[in-house]
Amino acid sequence: MAIDLKNLTIEKAHEALMRGDYSAQDLAQAYLDNITAKNAELNAYLEVYDDVIAQAVRADRMIAEGTATLMTGIPIAIKDNILFAGKHASAASKILENYTATYDAHVVQTLKAVGAVIIGRTNMDEFAMGSSTQTSAYGVTRNPLDTSRVPGGSSGGSAAAVASDMALVALGTETCGSVRQPSAFCGLVGLKPTYGALSRSGIIAMGNSLDQVSPFTKTVSESEILFNLLSRYDSMDATSVPDNMRTAPAKKEIKKIGVPRSFFSGGGLDPRVLANFDASLEKLRAVGYEIIDLDLPILKYSLAVYYIIMPAEVSTNLSRFDGIRYGLSADAANLLEVYEKSRGEGFGKEARRRILLGTYVLSHGYHDAYYNKALAIREQISVALAKAFESVDLIMTPTTPSPAFKIGEKLEDPVAMYLCDIFSAPANLSGIPSIALPSGFTDDGLPLSIQFMAPHWGEDALFAVGRQFENTLQS
Ligand code: GLN
């Protein structure tokens, strides 16, 4: 029986599996067949695991035994910086080529426990640094909606896998937009959860104070399903928030949407993005939301602050890749040479750029001028957002300044690439949740997207507005 993968959701697949319309094995095979047909061109997967069918057989057993839940038998892809014990994980870097994970990430443990079928690891920008999946050591990933364009990044492989029906859903990670931005470029829903909601245990760190595992789905309710499953306290992650501190905003009707227009009216925004944003705003107004202008001038510093704090954390995190403990180890005459050669050969250009930048902002003479100042402004951004949420329920902006760009574009211009995440930074810096939602297409068929931010632990409000927006688009 041919399965309609294009219109499949977690809920529909679950119902079909429970009814016995097809087995988890049939479903996994349908995705594997699609991967065989499409992955050579798109390069979304770096590896398809060799035990996919065995995982599906286990899911079928759970279904037969009556222990299946919503995610049992659901094919899911994971980004190449998420550890799966016994499998390779490279963060798309040469320095971790052939590195084998020795334990499961907490999110992988959870997925395994419910019988999800983890199909493989997906391509990404090296160590999650980038907005186009072009800095991978293993080739670019193509956008399934227009293969001359990038899928966004850094979790571009996961986005391309879902958008081309090579996985039903996928996990990526966000440090600054790496799920919302590729969701925007590939027409998907991308959720950046509250910092500390999902465990970072078993995630190859980029910027610890910013990183969060984040799901890609076609619909808002699937995003909610994955969030509800994976958002749980983990004692192995020191920044995982204990259950009794996960205080959601008081439940109330969500009706006030704040728009910090000066944040995106300063130029550099594609006119098609702006027109679509305004049209989206009108749709929300028409279904009863009150639109409120917000003055948040501090937001304009978000990206600059991010590009100080993130490289500082990157330079610290990536110091563990010394040619001795993990992955690639160069032949050399002495210890210093092992470090130099392994790191020199193993890291790509963008990783080296950020290590240098981070080491510089943390160095004795510049620590106060750059790093400490950035931390202080980060705090001010959080305070300003918290204050804004006293008068509005949600904040809305475009997800990205432009739709998907061409492969090769911006690659030699790091600042142009960094600007792709200008609207992402506030949520990651302040730890609040944010959701990117498909909001239509350009005349030439490129997806467009809007994003909402909510106060800490306000994911329910994001899902509520998301579902309503999804409905207004379909009506
Ligand atoms: N574009 C961001 C960067 O390059 C994306 C980082 C991320 O979210 N992993 O740093």
Side-chain angles (χ1 to χ4, degrees):
M1 153 182 185
I3 306 173
D4 175 14
L5 301 184
K6 185 100 240 131
N7 296 304
L8 199 61
T9 60
I10 295 175
E11 299 96 312
K12 284 186 199 165
H14 173 69
E15 283 163 23
L17 289 169
M18 298 312 283
R19 271 197 310 265
D21 295 354
Y22 43 77
S23 65
Q25 220 178 312
D26 298 332
L27 185 60
Q29 192 58 52
Y31 282 99
L32 291 176
D33 291 346
N34 224 7
I35 292 169
T36 306
K38 292 179 180 172
N39 195 52
E41 185 189 14
L42 297 176
N43 195 32
Y45 283 98
L46 294 179
E47 179 184 354
V48 176
Y49 297 139
D50 57 9
D51 60 352
V52 171
I53 292 299
Q55 291 182 54
V57 167
R58 196 180 143 244
D60 280 328
R61 210 175 310 131
M62 289 174 75
I63 294 167
E65 287 166 356
T67 55
T69 50
L70 260 179
M71 282 298 290
T72 308
I74 299 298
I76 180 168
I78 58 173
K79 188 177 177 177
D80 189 27
N81 59 354
I82 301 177
L83 303 189
F84 186 141
K87 314 266 190 215
H88 288 317
S90 77
S93 178
K94 232 175 101 186
I95 208 161
L96 282 176
E97 191 164 16
N98 299 326
Y99 168 73
T100 303
T102 54
Y103 64 100
D104 282 328
H106 186 255
V107 291
V108 166
Q109 274 174 27
T110 309
L111 288 171
K112 283 184 178 176
V114 296
V117 175
I118 306 177
I119 306 179
R121 58 186 173 101
T122 56
N123 202 12
M124 56 187 277
D125 282 295
E126 184 181 5
F127 283 106
M129 301 172 191
S131 306
S132 65
T133 314
Q134 297 182 98
T135 69
S136 165
Y138 306 103
V140 304
T141 295
R142 293 179 182 276
N143 189 322
L145 286 88
D146 176 346
T147 53
S148 70
R149 292 177 190 269
V150 301
S154 63
S155 319
S158 286
V162 177
S164 61
D165 304 316
M166 292 198 282
L168 181 47
V169 291
L171 295 184
T173 58
E174 273 232 10
T175 307
C176 182
S178 277
V179 164
R180 283 169 291 157
Q181 187 255 16
S183 294
F185 282 13
C186 294
L188 300 171
V189 174
L191 172 74
K192 198 294 278 183
T194 302
Y195 181 78
L198 277 66
S199 171
R200 292 184 301 108
S201 168
I203 308 305
I204 300 174
M206 178 182 171
N208 307 36
S209 76
L210 302 150
D211 297 342
Q212 219 16 224
V213 176
S214 306
F216 285 102
T217 55
K218 293 195 289 267
T219 63
V220 173
S221 57
E222 293 171 285
S223 191
E224 185 168 12
I225 290 169
L226 283 172
F227 175 76
N228 288 340
L229 173 70
L230 299 175
S231 170
R232 47 175 77 185
Y233 174 66
D234 173 24
S235 61
M236 296 301 283
D237 171 3
T239 57
S240 176
V241 176
D243 293 335
N244 61 359
M245 291 172 68
R246 299 180 173 223
T247 323
K251 272 216 179 324
K252 58 175 173 181
E253 203 196 340
I254 302 299
K255 51 178 198 296
K256 292 183 179 166
I257 297 175
V259 177
R261 205 164 271 274
S262 67
F263 185 36
F264 52 86
S265 60
L269 194 65
D270 187 305
R272 295 169 299 179
V273 170
L274 187 59
N276 176 268
F277 177 82
D278 285 331
S280 304
L281 214 51
E282 282 319 308
K283 283 182 190 146
L284 289 159
R285 207 194 300 270
V287 292
Y289 288 95
E290 188 183 339
I291 310 298
I292 295 170
D293 281 334
L294 285 179
D295 190 27
L296 284 169
I298 188 92
L299 293 188
K300 66 172 177 285
Y301 300 116
S302 304
L303 202 64
V305 166
Y306 171 71
Y307 273 94
I308 301 286
I309 292 174
M310 171 276 297
E313 296 185 10
V314 159
S315 77
T316 314
N317 278 322
L318 271 52
S319 66
R320 63 168 66 88
F321 303 109
D322 55 5
I324 293 171
R325 285 176 287 181
Y326 309 91
L328 184 123
S329 184
D331 268 342
N334 56 49
L335 185 62
L336 185 64
E337 239 182 60
V338 174
Y339 293 158
E340 287 174 351
K341 278 197 172 172
S342 306
R343 287 170 69 84
E345 289 166 19
F347 287 131
K349 201 164 143 187
E350 186 60 28
R352 290 204 299 271
R353 188 182 350 255
R354 295 190 191 201
I355 290 169
L356 288 172
L357 204 63
T359 309
Y360 180 83
V361 301
L362 287 177
S363 62
H364 181 68
Y366 295 101
H367 194 277
D368 280 345
Y370 294 106
Y371 184 66
N372 283 351
K373 188 174 273 182
L375 287 184
I377 301 172
R378 178 184 194 172
E379 182 58 25
Q380 287 183 32
I381 290 169
S382 299
V383 168
L385 287 167
K387 190 141 185 37
F389 286 124
E390 287 170 9
S391 55
V392 299
D393 303 314
L394 298 164
I395 296 176
M396 177 175 156
T397 72
T399 307
T400 58
S402 76
F405 49 88
K406 293 271 187 189
I407 289 173
E409 227 179 275
K410 303 189 205 286
L411 202 50
E412 297 308 319
D413 184 351
V415 175
M417 192 68 89
Y418 298 168
L419 282 167
C420 293
D421 282 305
I422 186 156
F423 304 134
S424 310
N428 298 84
L429 287 171
S430 60
I432 60 174
S434 175
I435 197 165
L437 303 170
S439 58
F441 293 89
T442 63
D443 291 343
D444 48 353
L446 300 176
L448 294 162
S449 173
I450 55 166
Q451 75 171 359
F452 289 96
M453 290 172 256
H456 290 91
W457 310 105
E459 276 85 355
D460 281 352
L462 298 178
F463 299 135
V465 76
R467 250 191 295 274
Q468 195 161 12
F469 188 69
E470 218 166 45
N471 293 338
T472 68
L473 276 185
Q474 281 154 5
S475 61

